[in-house]
Structures are given as C-alpha cells and as structure tokens.
Amino acid sequence: MTAAARLKRVADGEEITLEATVSRIGREPDREVPITANAVSRNHAEVRRTGHGYLIADLDSRNGTFVNGERLGTDPHPLRDGDEIVIAGVETLRFIDPLATPMAPAIGRLTGVWIDPDTLAVWVDAQPIEPPLSERQQTLIELLADNENNVVDRQTIIETVWADVAAEGVSAEAIDALVKRLKARVRPLQLHGDYIEVHRGRGIRLVSE
C-alpha cells in the first residue's frame, strides 16, 4: 500500500494516520490511537494493516468495540472506508481509506423485492426501504422471500414471526395488522404491481415481479 488509512475523531475532526502495521487503541498515552476516558481499557482494540486491507479487533475490552452498531469479538473484522467505530460508548472514530474504490450498492435485482444477504437490507424495485423495517416486519418479509411465489400459511407465519409467543396468543387481527404495515412500507417503492398478495383463508404470498 502506498497510502495509509486514517481514523477521524468525529467529535473534533482530528485525524490519526495509521502508519504502523498494528495501531493500538487504548487509554494509555503511548497508544497509536489514545483515548483517555476511564471507560476505555488500557489495551482496548487494535487496527491491523494487511496486504488486502485493514482489520480491527477488540482486545477483550470491558466496554466493547462497535463497528456500524455491531459489537466486535476478538476475531479480526474487516474495515471499509466510511465505517463508524465506537469505542466503549465514549469515542466515535470514522475509518478513512484513501485507496478504497468507490462502489455503488450491490443490488441483486432491479425489479421485485430483494434482501441483501450480507446486510439484510430490503430493496424494492432497486430502492432500499428506509428506515429499516421493524423486527417482526423484517422476519415476515424474509419468510416470504424464502418462499417466493408460494403462499405461506398463517400457522407458519405465527411460528416464525412470533416464535417468542405461544401460538394461541397471536390473533388473526395481529397478523392482519402486521401484513398491513408491511404492505404500507413496500407500496410506495414498488413500480411493477403489488408484490405482497393476501390470499384469504390460505395465507400470504410474495410474488417475484
């Protein structure tokens, strides 16, 4: 690599160049990325430069390291340009890689409903649903997508979407309300017809396009 990446402190805009092969993040002042807050461990996390990019790993810290909202383990996690790193809930760093190649979103299909297998983002006719669906809406659309073009019966919907609730505790009205809310989120983006079909007495079907 000919140019090192940087970590930008979101709070004040300071940028720290990751010149070393391993850049340590921690409370000690001699760390490559020092953060003095008491919530930060002495050896909190590290960013490692490899021949294929940058990796970050938590060093078994007490209060955790998060990338784009997900808590890391001790296994190295790849960093991408623009990733947001939160250290112990007290410091936000943005990863900047000058060698990154700008990429458009990887859209698996341009028509119909598509769920990104990596991020689980839901796309409708090449447009993302924003903000993301609720947990039960997401579970339902994933179930429908797994059975695309086939009717999914109400019992299967209850067992999948309400797995944490006794089946007898889920009313028909609750299912209807969830489907109605999901259709309301999908409808403004669909350009080629109604993708979610309700078959009375049978169940719900997600049509391909």
Side-chain angles (χ1 to χ4, degrees):
M1 295 185 177
T2 57
R6 307 184 301 279
L7 290 178
K8 180 178 181 179
R9 298 186 193 270
V10 172
D12 59 12
E14 177 192 1
E15 293 189 358
I16 302 170
T17 301
L18 302 175
E19 296 177 339
T21 301
V22 177
S23 297
R24 300 165 299 169
I25 302 171
R27 197 170 72 240
E28 295 295 327
D30 65 343
R31 300 300 180 249
E32 285 76 17
V33 186
I35 303 173
T36 58
N38 288 334
V40 178
S41 300
R42 288 182 172 84
N43 291 300
H44 196 101
E46 67 177 26
V47 177
R48 184 177 296 271
R49 186 178 69 212
T50 75
H52 302 285
Y54 288 80
L55 304 172
I56 186 171
D58 184 79
L59 297 179
D60 201 23
S61 67
R62 175 180 297 181
N63 294 312
T65 303
F66 300 79
V67 175
N68 299 330
E70 295 187 10
R71 185 164 187 163
L72 301 183
T74 54
D75 292 335
H77 176 87
L79 282 172
R80 298 180 180 177
D81 183 50
D83 278 352
E84 187 174 87
I85 304 164
V86 175
I87 303 296
V90 298
E91 179 85 60
T92 300
L93 307 168
R94 181 154 289 115
F95 177 70
I96 301 171
D97 186 355
L99 297 181
T101 301
M103 295 181 65
I107 304 173
R109 55 199 281 185
L110 298 179
T111 58
V113 175
W114 179 72
I115 302 175
D116 187 320
D118 295 323
T119 66
L120 298 183
V122 180
W123 295 72
V124 180
D125 288 340
Q127 303 172 82
I129 292 181
E130 294 178 342
L133 299 174
S134 70
E135 182 177 353
R136 294 203 196 278
Q137 291 170 358
Q138 181 77 24
T139 303
L140 176 56
I141 203 162
E142 288 177 12
L143 173 64
L144 297 176
D146 288 341
N147 296 274
E148 192 173 50
N149 292 319
N150 295 307
V151 175
V152 179
D153 64 76
R154 286 175 170 251
Q155 186 60 36
T156 300
I157 292 173
I158 292 172
E159 293 173 354
T160 304
V161 178
W162 283 274
D164 57 332
V165 178
E168 59 270 20
V170 181
S171 65
E173 289 77 13
I175 299 173
D176 292 341
L178 178 63
V179 172
K180 183 178 180 179
R181 291 194 298 270
L182 179 59
K183 287 172 65 71
R185 296 297 311 279
V186 171
R187 187 179 299 113
L189 301 178
Q190 59 192 19
L191 303 174
H192 305 284
D194 194 355
Y195 293 132
I196 299 176
E197 295 181 347
V198 177
H199 295 257
R200 295 296 177 187
R202 295 179 59 203
I204 316 298
R205 182 169 80 115
L206 179 68
V207 297
S208 57
E209 54 184 84

